[in-house]
Amino acid sequence: MTEQTPAIARRQPQSDYRITLDGRDLSRLIAPSLISLSLRESRSEEADTIDLVIDDSKNTFAIPKRGANIKVAIGWVGEPLVEKGTFSVDEVEHSGTPDILTIRARSASMTNQMHERREQSWHAQTIGSIVRAIAGRHSLKAAVADALARIVIAHIDQTHESDMSFLTRLAKRYDAVMNVKDLNLLFMPIGSGKTASGKALGVLNLTRADGDSHRYHVAQRESYSAVRAHYHSNTKGKRKSVIIGGDNNRNVKVLPEDYATEAEARAAAQAEFARTQRSQATFSYQLALGRPEIFPELPVNVAGFKPEINETPWLVKQTTHTLNGDGGLTTSLEMEVRDDPTTDRHRSHFRKSA
């Protein structure tokens, strides 16, 4: 009796994508010649980027103009594609032989004007009003979390500093995400587990079986027990300070800037302390099958690794989605600690000193 082959062979999933250039859908034209498409999404002030590499040995493609708009959606055949926004062509390279066209595009909303230096003083304004004013200046829609939008800034100067640099500095002071995504200027707390509109983000659960490779790294160089920030009293002009963290004064990080008020000093110290806790451990994970729906700021739990890795709540810091011409799609995650694995950040207390 001969063994029969199953009627239906197991099929490998095939990646799918949609690419439009200035409104024209080029997906079918590109498909036979696609070498790779890599899309990197970042939480920080860095622009999201796309690298598109195409075989042009048949002289099929025209070189796109710098500034042309590319819209991209990626996913798997048979499933809804995940929209990844609009990008502006920033760099183009044509090389050979064989002829290859390489296109790099950045988030379309990261306009050159946002990197132009300007002079402005902001006095007695909320973070919400500052972000909205800058967003309006660049025809962007502001998306500011309520918890940050209400905070009043006594005084802050934007001296010979671009809007992008200034907002990045302001975000760092309040431990916030500042980025531009598809014509939206985002400003929200890091690791809040919510979108700017307040919608809760579900926790992503990953296991060892979901990935091909990983790297867990612990560093003690930023292991401060506390952070100190100085401010000036409005009444006597006396220099005072606020400490965020534990009682151990032997390993305190002191911020170099003096702040206008106690509240601003406390916020800056709290933000820096939170950063030092998150950076103590990092976790990189390459998923075997791409997950295009994963994006920065998504909370993650993992299982199947060492106890120290499994017990740490993680936060996605950067994602890289890569498609190739053979129909593969992979996702690489860069993660940091969502909360200090050994200390409850929320129990940190405040102390004032002269």
Side-chain angles (χ1 to χ4, degrees), residues 22-294:
D22 285 338
R24 181 188 173 197
D25 192 337
L26 300 179
S27 307
R28 291 188 177 182
L29 179 65
I30 291 173
S33 305
L34 178 70
I35 297 175
S36 67
L37 187 159
S38 181
L39 191 155
R40 188 188 69 184
E41 298 175 291
S42 300
R43 181 187 67 201
S44 65
E45 70 277 6
E46 298 176 28
D48 293 348
T49 60
I50 283 182
D51 287 284
L52 187 61
V53 183
I54 302 171
D55 179 356
D56 193 35
S57 56
K58 296 181 179 179
N59 195 26
T60 305
F61 302 95
I63 294 177
K65 295 180 180 179
R66 290 186 60 199
N69 284 333
I70 295 178
K71 291 194 71 172
V72 176
I74 59 175
W76 295 101
V77 171
E79 299 179 6
L81 298 181
V82 179
E83 297 286 348
K84 289 297 183 180
T86 304
F87 300 79
S88 178
V89 174
D90 186 52
E91 300 176 36
V92 180
E93 177 181 307
H94 197 275
S95 60
T97 304
D99 286 5
I100 293 176
L101 178 63
T102 303
I103 302 167
R104 168 165 286 187
R106 296 158 48 92
S107 296
S109 306
M110 289 280 198
T111 62
N112 291 333
Q113 289 76 17
M114 287 199 75
H115 294 278
E116 293 177 356
R117 296 181 180 182
R118 62 174 64 241
E119 305 283 332
Q120 186 165 354
S121 292
W122 306 86
H123 184 72
Q125 293 200 43
T126 63
I127 289 179
S129 64
I130 293 173
V131 174
R132 284 190 291 271
I134 293 176
R137 190 148 62 206
H138 301 285
S139 301
L140 302 174
K141 182 180 178 181
V144 190
D146 290 341
L148 292 169
R150 294 190 296 264
I151 295 174
V152 177
I153 305 294
H155 183 85
I156 187 169
D157 290 318
Q158 183 178 351
T159 306
H160 203 51
E161 189 177 19
S162 70
D163 284 341
M164 182 61 69
S165 176
F166 171 70
L167 286 175
T168 299
R169 178 163 62 92
L170 187 61
K172 185 177 181 181
R173 179 185 291 191
Y174 290 92
D175 200 31
V177 177
M178 192 293 299
N179 212 327
V180 180
K181 305 278 188 181
D182 206 20
L183 300 178
N184 290 284
L185 177 53
L186 309 179
F187 204 98
M188 64 189 73
I190 291 177
S192 64
K194 296 182 179 180
T195 65
S197 63
K199 183 180 179 181
L201 296 173
V203 177
L204 175 67
N205 294 304
L206 298 174
T207 69
R208 183 71 182 264
D210 291 321
D212 289 330
S213 62
H214 74 278
R215 181 177 183 269
Y216 171 73
H217 181 248
V218 178
Q220 292 298 322
R221 63 182 179 271
E222 287 281 307
S223 184
Y224 293 99
S225 63
V227 175
R228 181 190 296 271
H230 289 92
Y231 68 98
H232 289 279
S233 168
N234 288 333
T235 54
K236 299 180 180 179
K238 189 176 182 181
R239 193 171 187 245
K240 296 185 177 182
S241 69
V242 173
I243 295 180
I244 306 296
D247 294 320
N248 178 9
N249 282 317
R250 292 174 296 177
N251 194 19
V252 178
K253 182 174 185 177
V254 180
L255 300 183
E257 181 180 352
D258 281 9
Y259 297 91
T261 66
E262 177 189 339
E264 291 180 19
R266 180 181 292 121
Q270 178 68 66
E272 186 60 31
F273 184 71
R275 269 190 296 276
T276 63
Q277 303 308 298
R278 286 196 303 270
S279 66
Q280 286 186 27
T282 59
F283 188 48
S284 303
Y285 199 23
Q286 176 83 28
L287 301 184
L289 289 177
R291 300 280 297 271
E293 73 277 12
I294 298 177

Side-chain angles (χ1 to χ4, degrees), residues 291-352:
R291 300 280 297 271
E293 73 277 12
I294 298 177
F295 55 90
E297 281 299 282
L298 195 65
V300 177
N301 292 332
V302 300
F305 299 91
K306 296 288 187 182
E308 294 85 351
I309 303 175
N310 296 338
E311 294 166 6
T312 301
W314 297 103
L315 186 69
V316 177
K317 187 176 182 179
Q318 185 179 89
T319 64
T320 303
H321 307 286
T322 304
L323 294 89
N324 58 51
D326 296 330
L329 169 59
T330 62
T331 296
S332 177
L333 306 178
E334 298 292 333
M335 295 178 276
E336 62 184 6
V337 180
R338 192 160 79 239
D339 286 300
D340 179 17
T342 58
T343 305
D344 187 348
R345 267 173 47 195
H346 303 290
R347 293 179 184 174
S348 302
H349 60 275
F350 311 117
R351 300 202 313 279
K352 285 187 270 185

